Amino acid sequence: MAALCKVVSGVGSRIRLPSSRLLGSTSSGSSGRDRPAAERPKSGFAAALDLQSELQRNAEDSRFPPGQAETFASMLRRSPLIQMGPAKDRIVFGTIFHVVQDDLYIDFGGKFHCVCRRPVKGETLRRGSRVRLRLQDLELTARFLGASSDTTLLEAKAALLAPLEGSHGRESQG
Amino acid sequence: MATRTLTKGLLGLRQSRTLFVGQSCGGLHFSTAASVEVSPPQADSISEEVLKKPDFFHLSELFSLKDLFNARVHLGHKKGCRHRFMEPYLYGCRLDQDIIDLDQTMEHLQLALNVTAHVAYRGGVILFISRRRQFGHLVEATAKSCGEYAHTRYWQGGILTNANIQYGPDVRLPDLIVFLSTLNNVFQQHVAIRDAAKLAIPTVGVVDSNCNPNLITYPIPGNDDTPAAVELYCDLFKATIIRAKDKRKQLELVHRPSTPSAKRS
């Protein structure tokens, strides 16, 4: 309980636990309460938390100097789409945003959505469900004979995977 | 109140005096009531005050680079679908997918929203067009909520060019056409782009990497396929138009408290 009181005061919480007075150890008793919370030396979890948050803040500040917004180039470079690399056989999470009987329209953060057939044990899947996908292609395009530009289907291709918590589900082709 | 109207009248007389200087007789100047109304100062301030600042409606605070990025506006089609005239607007191509340069998009979006705001401020008719069936309802709802018009169905050939015969004489055509997607359902350029150019109607359009930006007056290079991006555009246009109309009402109340505003029927 004494450690808990120190953590609460270290994080800068304004709520004073009334029980701390009763349950506080004798070492952090009256002498501790006389000094303000900021001057008390922190140890343990509180000290570690302060150190880590300061390091993180310094890292953020050095990356983006104050007054200068992040550039498009750096946003693009750090985006998950670019960091992912080629989309073939990558596992991503998607959300179902539309259902038409057995067809599930899933948005995984790319330009297009993918359409997957409902798996055999997929009665629980509905709008808003989070699913796992194995991507095949971000956009289904092909250049047909005699055409000047590619024909696009305005869809991505992915295979629906079994949910993580269930055991050995069946895969359904997209 | 009486002194204000008196000074307004005197100012009007002073202006008309300079115009009718040749017709003075014996130092007396006559002016009819009509000439006083020709250019009252308060009408100038309503229509000319907005043109003095580059961003009168503060539209740059409506969107940021981060908002565009999170709405996936920078994602284009595959390399094979690229239109030759979109190459200046592209940042590059990553694993065969074109990436649109959002720095250019920011500038173009600012220009386009500014034009939309000014047209709405002056009581112009704005028409939203999109043939994407996925976003048809969204576009119609956006147009309805800001008091403007939308056309998201099959475009009959003479809607603009044959309007006087199809809709009757003296029909008012739109003053600005906003395309949320410039392609029709068979991936050809929408007929309204060519017709608007024929009739000298300015157009604002979101052009993806497979679209032709040539005939569009204010193109906005950006994604037109993802729901997040289209919702962002709709929200931005709606906010712009509502802001411009509110500003108009506000300035009319300030400058012309007694006369009713000339609203379009």
Side-chain angles (χ1 to χ4, degrees):
Chain A
M1 196 56 206
L4 182 61
C5 299
K6 280 185 196 161
V7 166
V8 166
S9 55
V11 175
S13 165
R14 300 227 180 105
I15 302 165
R16 293 278 258 166
L17 292 175
S19 56
S20 62
R21 239 177 246 278
L22 303 168
L23 298 173
S25 60
T26 49
S27 61
S28 65
S30 52
S31 59
R33 290 284 170 264
D34 288 293
R35 281 182 293 160
E39 287 179 18
R40 247 179 292 142
K42 293 170 193 164
S43 63
F45 178 69
L49 184 67
D50 283 345
L51 180 68
Q52 289 303 319
S53 44
E54 200 184 313
L55 282 172
Q56 202 175 26
R57 237 178 297 126
N58 288 341
E60 281 289 320
D61 285 344
S62 62
R63 223 171 72 178
F64 312 124
Q68 197 180 352
E70 196 180 357
T71 60
F72 169 57
S74 79
M75 263 195 260
L76 187 68
R77 195 158 71 85
R78 286 180 173 82
S79 67
L81 191 74
I82 302 294
Q83 295 287 325
M84 178 177 77
K88 188 111 175 82
D89 297 326
R90 286 276 194 274
I91 312 285
V92 293
F93 277 103
T95 329
I96 300 176
F97 69 94
H98 191 55
V99 177
V100 176
Q101 289 168 4
D102 270 348
D103 295 326
L104 309 168
Y105 290 72
I106 304 164
D107 174 31
F108 54 86
K111 184 172 162 85
F112 297 105
H113 58 269
C114 67
V115 186
C116 299
R117 206 175 56 222
R118 191 189 288 270
V120 178
K121 289 182 191 169
E123 285 83 19
T124 54
L125 294 175
R126 56 177 198 275
R127 230 184 103 216
S129 315
R130 205 153 171 257
V131 293
R132 253 181 359 135
L133 303 164
R134 176 178 289 127
L135 291 182
Q136 303 300 327
D137 202 351
L138 285 178
E139 185 182 351
L140 290 169
T141 57
R143 176 73 59 106
F144 287 96
L145 210 56
S148 54
S149 82
D150 281 12
T151 309
T152 168
L153 276 182
L154 303 179
E155 260 179 37
K157 186 169 178 191
L160 201 60
L161 297 177
L164 276 171
E165 42 282 336
S167 63
H168 301 301
R170 233 179 277 184
E171 280 192 25
S172 165
Q173 274 301 320
Chain B
M1 193 60 150
T3 47
R4 198 143 48 111
T5 46
L6 187 61
T7 47
K8 275 189 209 165
L10 281 176
L11 283 167
L13 274 175
R14 202 183 299 137
Q15 280 192 338
S16 61
R17 204 177 291 161
T18 54
L19 290 169
F20 288 86
V21 74
Q23 296 176 18
S24 67
C25 48
L28 285 170
H29 296 278
F30 297 98
S31 59
T32 57
S35 67
V36 171
E37 297 300 304
V38 158
S39 54
Q42 51 272 25
D44 286 340
S45 63
I46 287 180
S47 50
E48 288 185 8
E49 193 186 317
V50 284
L51 298 174
K52 287 180 185 158
K53 290 183 203 168
D55 192 11
F56 183 82
F57 302 100
H58 304 291
L59 299 165
S60 47
E61 66 194 32
L62 284 176
F63 62 97
S64 68
L65 191 65
K66 193 86 187 150
D67 293 337
L68 294 185
F69 193 86
N70 291 339
R72 309 178 223 164
V73 168
H74 59 292
L75 298 178
H77 286 268
K78 285 275 168 97
K79 190 169 66 177
C81 301
R82 190 192 303 168
H83 197 285
R84 214 184 117 213
F85 299 140
M86 283 301 290
E87 277 164 19
Y89 301 118
L90 296 180
Y91 182 76
C93 188
R94 161 75 173 175
L95 294 166
D96 275 358
Q97 184 178 23
D98 287 334
I99 307 287
I100 294 166
D101 191 357
L102 280 192
D103 296 321
Q104 292 189 50
T105 303
M106 290 279 285
E107 294 165 5
H108 284 88
L109 190 58
Q110 171 68 32
L111 288 173
L113 290 179
N114 200 28
V115 161
T116 316
H118 280 272
V119 170
Y121 180 84
R122 290 164 182 272
V125 172
I126 298 174
L127 180 66
F128 288 89
I129 292 181
S130 169
R131 198 56 179 106
R132 288 295 300 261
R133 283 179 282 206
Q134 191 180 1
F135 310 120
H137 181 257
L138 174 68
V139 171
E140 287 179 348
T142 307
K144 191 171 179 182
S145 61
C146 56
E148 298 296 341
Y149 305 86
H151 187 103
T152 57
R153 309 299 162 105
Y154 177 72
W155 182 272
Q156 286 173 327
I159 287 180
L160 291 179
T161 46
N162 208 18
N164 282 330
I165 296 169
Q166 284 191 0
Y167 294 105
D170 287 338
V171 69
R172 187 172 164 182
L173 290 179
D175 299 302
L176 180 76
I177 298 183
V178 178
F179 288 91
L180 274 308
S181 165
T182 55
L183 298 179
N184 60 14
N185 284 336
V186 283
F187 300 99
Q188 289 165 351
Q189 197 184 38
H190 202 288
V191 170
I193 295 175
R194 190 196 66 200
D195 285 352
K198 281 184 193 172
L199 297 172
I201 298 171
T203 45
V204 165
V206 177
V207 281
D208 206 345
S209 64
N210 60 346
C211 305
N212 186 357
N214 268 356
L215 287 178
I216 298 164
T217 332
Y218 294 95
I220 304 169
N223 188 3
D224 62 1
D225 298 301
T226 312
V230 177
E231 279 167 14
L232 176 76
Y233 300 135
C234 286
D235 288 340
L236 285 177
F237 279 113
K238 183 166 86 171
T240 312
I241 291 169
I242 289 173
R243 197 179 265 213
K245 286 182 176 175
D246 287 345
K247 193 79 186 177
R248 176 83 192 197
K249 276 188 222 153
Q250 183 193 0
L251 285 180
E252 274 187 343
L253 282 172
V254 164
H255 290 286
R256 285 189 214 156
S258 49
T259 49
S261 58
K263 282 202 180 66
R264 61 163 201 262
S265 52

